[in-house]
Amino acid sequence: MSIRGKACIVGAYEHPTRKAEDKSTAQLHAEVALGALRDAGLTRADVDGYFCAGDAPGMGPLSMADYIGLTRLSHYDSTDVGGCSYLAHVAHAAEAIAMGKCKVALITLAGRPRSEGVATGTAPRPGDPRQPDVQFEYPFGPAIANMYAMCAQRHMYEYGTTSEQLAWIKVAASHHAQHNEHAMLRKVVTVEDVVNSPLVADPLHRLDCCVISDGGGALVVTSPEIARSLKRPLVGIRGAGEAIKHVDGGRIDLTYTGARYAGARAFEMAGVKPADIKYASIYDSFTITVLMQLEDLGFCEKGQGGKFVSDGNLISGVGKLPFNTDGGGLCNNHPANRGGITKVIEAVRQLRGEAHPAVQVKNCDLALAHGTGGSLGTRHGSATLVLERL
């Protein structure tokens, strides 16, 4: 079933805090929920569909619906595929609306990894011993940073990608973050700054890594009829795609991501091609994450990502494909260590013409948001949205 034209995003809100020592995770969920509803011109009483993932405390939607005060729910979804969960939720909400299961869907994310002292991806995660992969992989000490570094090493070996080329992604993000008053890293950096920053996991440096932040975000998705009744710019969901990529019984190819399939499905549903996209929100846990997804989404040929991002091609007003104009996870915000929802939020801002004037893309009528969840080095989910200004 195609969801093209079946739903609109009418509310979007990003929590302004980056360190929430005085707030619980549940409180952050509630605050972003109310922020997105206010943005849409709706109230809790209007919500009949609720979506959350593994960052939600307690029993997920059961606990959070009670805490937030959602009393009219006829549909809920707790799909958890890591950082891309919230892009999948947008698509699932559109499907539910198209099927008549709900009319106003609320999606929330929140977390406190910075306040809780979570390591920056350098410590092995023990995992649940019941997971089928843990007994085979945990003895080797996999950590998020070294899993992504392994992908970067492979890309460099296969295609000649350089650390300097990866650094251009951070440079572009920093050029955008300087205009965001809430961004954690607002200083504009150079290629030299990135490659001279401390090595975390060869070949990734500290500035190749995303920030660790508290906070969260929320989205409201409704039927087109309700959307047209609200006094907000209309953002339509034109296409969506999902995919899972895993180790394939040991035959894993580290040179591509699940975006190869999720993106193709989203573009097919939307009836557009990569060249039509005016703005792209790309998941940026590390610089290599961005480079590989740009290739797999079709913005450049496989192996040409390094050349594509060089010389500022991702900088708004300068390059071919403006990306992450809020500063992204690399500089602005990576709440709960899950950056998917912020990608949709900034895409909505761009389509509404509400991004910062210094980074607003001219005539932005078609945008893409893409997320990953899990680890590119082992197994991960991918979700892609093509959004349009109506």
Side-chain angles (χ1 to χ4, degrees):
M1 181 184 80
S2 173
I3 58 172
R4 180 174 174 180
K6 301 295 178 61
C8 298
I9 299 175
V10 299
Y13 179 78
E14 178 184 0
H15 206 291
T17 190
R18 300 295 179 262
K19 193 169 186 180
E21 294 176 309
D22 60 339
K23 300 178 187 292
S24 68
T25 300
Q27 183 178 351
L28 290 169
H29 272 275
E31 290 179 1
V32 297
L34 294 177
L37 288 168
R38 280 195 299 269
D39 181 60
L42 296 167
T43 70
R44 288 177 297 172
D46 297 306
V47 177
D48 57 358
Y50 178 59
F51 297 71
C52 63
D55 57 280
M59 296 183 69
L62 279 68
S63 298
M64 292 313 306
D66 185 12
Y67 185 86
I68 297 173
L70 305 177
T71 60
R72 295 185 57 249
L73 294 185
S74 58
H75 183 72
Y76 55 84
D77 185 332
S78 58
T79 297
D80 188 5
V81 281
C84 66
S85 300
Y86 318 92
L87 292 99
H89 287 167
V90 172
H92 295 182
E95 292 168 1
I97 290 169
M99 295 175 67
K101 291 186 174 183
C102 62
K103 294 181 180 179
V104 177
L106 172 66
I107 304 165
T108 66
L109 166 144
R112 304 174 64 254
R114 187 179 179 198
S115 291
E116 295 169 1
V118 173
T120 57
T122 56
R125 296 182 179 180
D128 186 334
R130 294 171 294 180
Q131 290 177 223
D133 50 275
V134 167
Q135 59 183 313
F136 298 104
E137 297 174 6
Y138 186 67
F140 296 95
I144 295 297
N146 63 34
M147 291 292 98
Y148 281 75
M150 189 164 62
C151 294
Q153 285 279 21
R154 191 67 194 179
H155 205 279
M156 290 177 170
Y157 175 80
E158 293 285 349
Y159 304 115
T161 307
T162 67
S163 291
E164 287 75 14
Q165 289 173 330
L166 288 178
W168 270 107
I169 299 169
K170 183 76 166 197
V171 170
S174 74
H175 273 269
H176 299 150
Q178 67 176 314
H179 305 293
N180 183 348
E181 63 177 324
H182 301 301
M184 285 188 65
L185 304 178
R186 295 187 66 184
K187 178 184 176 182
V188 175
V189 300
T190 65
V191 169
E192 291 72 22
D193 290 331
V194 179
V195 298
N196 290 329
S197 63
L199 201 62
V200 173
D202 192 13
L204 299 179
H205 301 81
R206 180 183 293 168
L207 292 181
D208 285 299
C209 307
C210 68
V211 298
I212 301 292
S213 60
D214 299 344
L219 298 161
V220 180
V221 182
T222 71
S223 65
E225 293 75 21
I226 291 176
R228 285 192 288 269
S229 72
L230 303 171
K231 297 179 180 180
R232 300 297 288 132
L234 293 179
V235 175
I237 302 167
R238 182 159 176 157
E242 301 170 29
I244 291 176
K245 179 175 180 281
H246 50 70
V247 298
D248 193 22
R251 296 178 293 273
I252 187 169
D253 182 345
L254 295 176
T255 63
Y256 74 94
T257 74
R260 172 184 291 185
Y261 308 111
R265 291 163 186 159
F267 282 123
E268 181 179 11
M269 183 185 294
V272 300
K273 55 187 183 298
D276 298 320
I277 299 297
K278 302 289 183 61
Y279 164 79
S281 280
I282 306 293
Y283 202 94
D284 55 346
S285 49
F286 299 89
T287 52
I288 185 62
T289 318
V290 176
L291 185 139
M292 293 178 68
Q293 290 170 116
L294 287 170
E295 294 176 344
D296 296 331
L297 290 167
F299 291 112
C300 60
E301 294 183 10
K302 175 55 64 178
Q304 298 301 305
K307 294 180 180 178
F308 183 80
V309 302
S310 294
D311 302 326
N313 278 327
L314 300 179
I315 300 175
S316 183
V318 175
K320 301 174 182 177
L321 183 69
F323 103 121
N324 297 8
T325 44
D326 60 339
L330 287 170
C331 294
N332 171 34
N333 191 16
H334 194 70
N337 289 336
R338 291 166 170 242
I341 204 163
T342 55
K343 300 297 167 282
V344 185
I345 291 169
E346 183 66 5
V348 169
R349 291 189 190 115
Q350 282 287 350
L351 290 167
R352 288 175 167 181
E354 295 175 353
H356 190 283
V359 299
Q360 176 66 52
V361 176
K362 293 181 180 179
N363 303 314
C364 187
D365 57 359
L366 200 61
L368 175 140
H370 178 82
T372 65
S375 170
L376 297 191
T378 51
R379 58 200 58 79
H380 63 273
S382 293
T384 309
L385 297 171
V386 177
L387 307 174
E388 64 180 338
R389 185 181 66 219
L390 298 177

